[in-house]
Amino acid sequence: MKVLVTGGSGYIGSHTTLTLLEAGHDVLVLDNLVNSSEESLRRVAELTGKTVQFRQLDLLDEAGVDELFRTEPIDSVIHFAGLKAVGESVQQPLRYYYNNVSGTINLLRAMDAHGVHSIVFSSSATVYGGLNPFPYIEKMDIGSDNPYGRTKEQIEDILSDIGAADERWQIALLRYFNPVGAHPSGRIGEDPLGIPNNLVPFIAQVAVGRREKLMVFGGDYDTPDGTAQRDYIHVMDLADGHVAALDYISRHPGVFRWNLGSGVGSSVLEVLHSFEKAVGHSLPYEIAPRRAGDLPAFWADPSAALADLGWSTTKTLDEMCQDHWRWQKNNPNGYSS
Ligand code: WQD
């Protein structure tokens, strides 16, 4: 199939683009490069020996998006493009709603106008909010507690309503947990702009000497070692989940929700120690106050994805850290190395 991957030069987008190409799909990447580098796509082409079509375009450019669907024979869309920093979304809610929700509406209107009704949407475990018991299950009520998460919820609602109104739509809503790791080649990986918000890229930058030490946000949670637990998933397993979901909806019209997670919680200190094993020595850290808005623990119930898609995670936390470290060690300054 010819798949449009919005946000395809980003971290998860580039790994999914590589996996789509290796599965025999043709890929056209749309990205505005606000948070990523086109170098990732050059490396995906190098790794796969395949051509990656790229169009620098913002989903807010309504005419440009419509022209793309008018001129390119697109069969399906995997939609990653969006702003994704929780803290930033609290400071800049209107920017997040405009970029994420209005951009998605532009995409969906262009798809519908040109007869494209198949979409895999990059949602997030953050939609479950803090009120649900874990492990999280897809049928649970959702209710995020930050603007970023609410943009994901609103887009899920839009897609659900579209699917209910028009049976031509084939829609997968994928709720990611915590993606980490990198392609085993070490040629593509996570390259956050500025100071990393997320745990593993921050640890990786400590390991490569770009950051002085890890601040562990909270050592007094009601967890086995006092640090918060999350469900970490290797980005290659996540990419495989997207290809499996794309294949499933190509055979099943309707709206489907799947958690993409391991179903296992790992604490901050467990992740740090796993990364230290990959690096081969200890890394400096300090127990700091809790980060506002953080939950003590949550992880996925991934059984629906296994039952419907035959998909489950395959890689361990140690493999995630080994692959993440290989990328960071080989690219100390990311794609601008
Ligand atoms: C993980 C744990 C931190 C950094 C976020 C978004 C979520 C999704 C994934 C987009 C927490 C602790 C972190 C640090 C630390 N993104 N930590 N020191 O918060 O679970 O989820 O990223 O979809 O929407 O909310 O991930 O990696 O930021 O934090 O101690 O320097 O690591 O407190 O317990 P999180 P994270």
Side-chain angles (χ1 to χ4, degrees):
M1 281 195 285
K2 173 104 179 219
V3 185
L4 173 70
V5 181
T6 75
S9 58
Y11 172 41
I12 303 168
S14 57
H15 287 80
T16 303
T17 293
L18 180 144
T19 306
L20 284 165
L21 291 166
E22 291 187 339
H25 296 289
D26 294 323
V27 176
L28 167 57
V29 168
L30 174 161
D31 205 301
N32 65 3
L33 299 179
V34 75
N35 229 351
S36 61
S37 158
E38 196 182 343
E39 174 61 18
S40 66
L41 299 179
R42 281 190 281 273
R43 297 191 187 186
V44 167
E46 165 203 305
L47 288 166
T48 59
K50 308 243 181 172
T51 305
V52 182
Q53 270 187 282
F54 173 66
R55 192 78 65 84
Q56 184 169 351
L57 189 58
D58 194 314
L59 288 177
L60 294 172
D61 173 359
E62 215 168 331
V65 174
D66 188 71
E67 188 268 340
L68 182 140
F69 279 91
R70 194 168 54 251
T71 56
E72 294 289 344
I74 293 161
D75 298 307
S76 189
V77 176
I78 300 186
H79 179 32
F80 293 105
L83 298 171
K84 62 163 196 139
V86 170
E88 186 181 60
S89 78
V90 175
Q91 308 303 322
Q92 305 173 34
L94 189 54
R95 177 175 172 230
Y96 269 68
Y97 285 112
Y98 184 48
N99 185 81
N100 291 4
V101 182
S102 300
T104 300
I105 290 171
N106 285 347
L107 172 67
L108 295 171
R109 282 166 48 82
M111 288 175 67
D112 197 30
H114 296 279
V116 181
H117 294 101
S118 168
I119 182 168
V120 176
F121 173 57
S122 163
S123 190
S124 168
T126 204
V127 303
Y128 287 106
L131 301 178
N132 280 304
F134 57 90
Y136 293 153
I137 299 173
E138 290 86 351
K139 64 178 186 304
M140 285 176 172
D141 290 340
I142 59 177
S144 183
D145 42 21
N146 62 76
Y148 159 75
R150 282 191 278 272
T151 68
K152 291 296 186 182
E153 263 182 79
Q154 288 174 17
I155 295 166
E156 284 202 12
D157 288 345
I158 290 167
L159 287 166
S160 300
D161 289 343
I162 289 174
D166 181 341
E167 63 187 17
R168 291 175 299 173
W169 284 92
Q170 304 159 314
I171 298 169
L173 309 176
L174 302 183
R175 293 170 178 170
Y176 310 161
F177 285 72
N178 290 56
V180 299
H183 186 263
S185 67
R187 293 287 293 151
I188 58 174
E190 187 171 13
D191 185 19
L193 293 181
I195 301 172
N197 295 303
N198 297 137
L199 176 65
V200 173
F202 196 100
I203 293 174
Q205 290 190 11
V206 170
V208 81
R210 285 175 61 183
R211 306 286 165 199
E212 181 202 346
K213 62 184 167 185
L214 171 71
M215 304 302 278
V216 175
F217 297 146
D220 58 352
Y221 285 109
D222 182 17
T223 61
D225 67 10
T227 66
Q229 295 169 300
R230 293 291 185 273
D231 182 332
Y232 297 92
I233 171 173
H234 197 293
V235 67
M236 294 307 293
D237 280 337
L238 191 58
D240 287 341
H242 285 74
V243 176
L246 185 69
D247 178 58
Y248 184 93
I249 63 171
S250 72
R251 295 177 280 112
H252 299 83
V255 185
F256 305 91
R257 288 164 187 75
W258 289 294
N259 290 332
L260 295 186
S262 68
V264 173
S266 300
S267 74
V268 174
L269 287 179
E270 284 172 327
V271 174
L272 177 64
H273 296 326
S274 176
F275 211 97
E276 288 174 331
K277 276 195 281 183
V279 172
H281 59 74
S282 64
L283 296 170
Y285 74 94
E286 181 182 312
I287 301 292
R290 297 179 177 187
R291 179 172 69 177
D294 275 352
L295 296 174
F298 61 82
W299 50 84
D301 175 337
S303 53
L306 181 59
D308 297 340
L309 307 177
W311 175 93
S312 62
T313 55
T314 65
K315 294 181 184 281
T316 65
L317 181 63
D318 284 350
E319 287 170 314
M320 294 178 214
C321 291
Q322 287 157 17
D323 291 344
H324 207 117
W325 174 232
R326 187 179 308 108
W327 148 256
Q328 191 74 81
K329 182 175 58 179
N330 295 344
N331 305 272
N333 293 307
Y335 288 112
S336 50
S337 293

